[in-house]
Amino acid sequence: MHHLNNTHSGLIHMFSIGKSYEGRSLLVLKLGRRSRAYKRAVWIDCGIHAREWIGPAFCQWFVKEALLTYRSDPTMRKMMNHLYFYIMPVFNVDGYHFSWTNDRFWRKTRSRNSRFRCRGVDANRNWKVKWCDEGASMHPCDDTYCGPFPESEPEVKAVANFLRKHKKHIRAYLSFHAYAQMLLYPYSYKYATIPNFSCVESAAYKAVNALQSVYGIRYRYGPASSTLYVSSGSSMDWAYKNGIPYTFAFELRDTGHFGFLLPEVLIKPTCTETMLAVKNITMHLLKKCP
């Protein structure tokens, strides 16, 4: 990230939105052609769950592709000219580090609990939207522990503060997870239809078709609650409830054969097909959705 910030200052600006529990910088790349005109923005985060390594790989891939194809690809040029992208390659930076050094299957943050020896909170159950209800646990030793209170995790609080501050111009929120091969949209915490369902649903349908066109990989799409499972306190629902009209969560490859241990040779095909889906969603929002 530092390297890209230094070598592509025309399209990239890196900044920190805070510090993790263990004191690491929470870095975000702002990507897009600078212009004085008002520009809408898209937020993309990866690695909210530590063990889902293909997430951070995709965020890096997205930035690389934007920089490499900005001049040659008209779609990418349009995206960079008309929008800003806020990209957070590693949301749960402490957990991610721990998954490389200690426990490959670590999921949560690394915060300490005063009463239990178990560490960490599920950063995707820690948001203030139906917090700690169905699909979240109140026990600190569980993988889906919702935390002592909403936004207890400094990483979640930092992102929530940033999104609150910029919600007027952030029109889309995309979060990258693994694994299941799904493209999900709200609601996650209840079985109900979102008000702008038709637009969001058609964007998802087109994105999934674009993704499949590359290697034939099939994704299911739909509301998270009925497509995956009910879960409360998720970032996607929170972003939607806080005025960002287009919020999606990707569950990338695969469907369980490798699971979290997706081999390196599948990084490139996974990212290539996912890139098409993201471009598709972005262009759909630019063109069609009010």
Side-chain angles (χ1 to χ4, degrees):
M1 290 170 79
H2 285 280
H3 171 71
L4 292 178
N5 190 47
N6 294 335
T7 52
H8 292 83
S9 54
L11 277 178
I12 282 191
H13 166 60
M14 184 176 74
F15 59 95
S16 169
I17 57 167
K19 289 259 195 276
S20 70
Y21 180 82
E22 293 179 338
R24 294 181 178 87
S25 290
L26 302 173
L27 297 174
V28 173
L29 294 171
K30 183 182 186 180
L31 187 59
R33 197 162 145 239
R34 289 193 201 122
S35 68
R36 281 202 299 250
Y38 170 83
K39 277 169 67 163
R40 289 170 297 175
V42 174
W43 169 276
I44 298 178
D45 64 55
C46 297
I48 201 167
H49 291 139
R51 62 192 176 194
E52 300 169 11
W53 284 9
I54 190 62
F58 174 72
C59 266
Q60 293 173 75
W61 184 276
F62 181 89
V63 177
K64 170 194 75 85
E65 280 295 291
L67 297 173
L68 286 180
T69 66
Y70 168 68
R71 286 193 168 79
S72 57
D73 174 22
T75 304
M76 186 58 83
R77 193 157 55 245
K78 192 171 179 185
M79 284 162 57
M80 293 296 114
N81 287 346
H82 292 276
L83 295 163
Y84 284 123
F85 288 83
Y86 294 110
I87 298 160
M88 188 176 194
V90 191
F91 184 117
N92 175 11
V93 57
D94 295 346
Y96 186 63
H97 184 264
F98 190 74
S99 74
W100 276 84
T101 56
N102 289 66
D103 178 357
R104 177 63 185 85
F105 293 101
W106 189 258
R107 169 184 167 99
K108 300 188 284 182
T109 62
R110 293 293 298 155
S111 56
R112 291 181 183 275
N113 184 290
S114 51
R115 293 181 314 146
F116 289 83
R117 287 224 335 268
C118 300
R119 287 180 70 165
V121 166
D122 184 338
N124 205 32
R125 302 288 185 279
N126 191 232
W127 298 73
K128 199 172 182 172
V129 54
K130 207 78 169 146
W131 176 77
C132 218
D133 209 301
E134 193 177 345
S137 167
M138 294 184 78
H139 199 288
C141 295
D142 288 344
D143 254 355
T144 56
Y145 175 46
C146 60
F149 53 88
E151 295 179 24
S152 61
E153 304 312 283
E155 301 85 357
V156 173
K157 185 148 200 73
V159 174
N161 283 342
F162 183 84
L163 294 174
R164 271 190 286 263
K165 194 171 150 191
H166 297 91
K167 70 176 177 189
K168 282 210 169 39
H169 77 134
I170 295 179
R171 305 319 291 148
Y173 171 93
L174 307 178
S175 192
F176 287 84
H177 296 253
Y179 56 94
Q181 290 172 201
M182 291 177 181
L183 176 50
L184 308 168
Y185 47 83
Y187 296 106
S188 194
Y189 74 90
K190 65 177 177 181
Y191 299 108
T193 306
I194 52 175
N196 61 339
F197 170 80
S198 62
C199 183
V200 168
E201 202 263 352
S202 82
Y205 168 76
K206 288 185 172 138
V208 163
N209 277 346
L211 187 148
Q212 193 182 333
S213 74
V214 195
Y215 301 106
I217 298 294
R218 290 180 178 276
Y219 268 55
R220 289 168 57 201
Y221 67 95
S225 53
S226 53
T227 311
L228 185 59
Y229 45 64
V230 172
S231 74
S232 53
S234 75
S235 66
M236 178 184 72
D237 278 350
W238 182 91
Y240 188 75
K241 285 283 200 183
N242 276 269
I244 299 176
Y246 308 104
T247 68
F248 295 93
F250 279 80
E251 292 283 352
L252 299 179
R253 292 198 202 183
D254 54 10
T255 54
H257 180 75
F258 293 111
F260 300 119
L261 302 177
L262 199 69
E264 277 178 52
V265 292
L266 293 182
I267 293 174
K268 188 176 176 181
T270 302
C271 291
T272 303
E273 68 196 9
T274 306
M275 193 74 201
L276 270 194
V278 173
K279 280 172 147 178
N280 221 277
I281 286 175
T282 306
M283 294 309 281
H284 186 87
L285 305 185
L286 265 180
K287 283 202 296 267
K288 297 196 181 64
C289 295

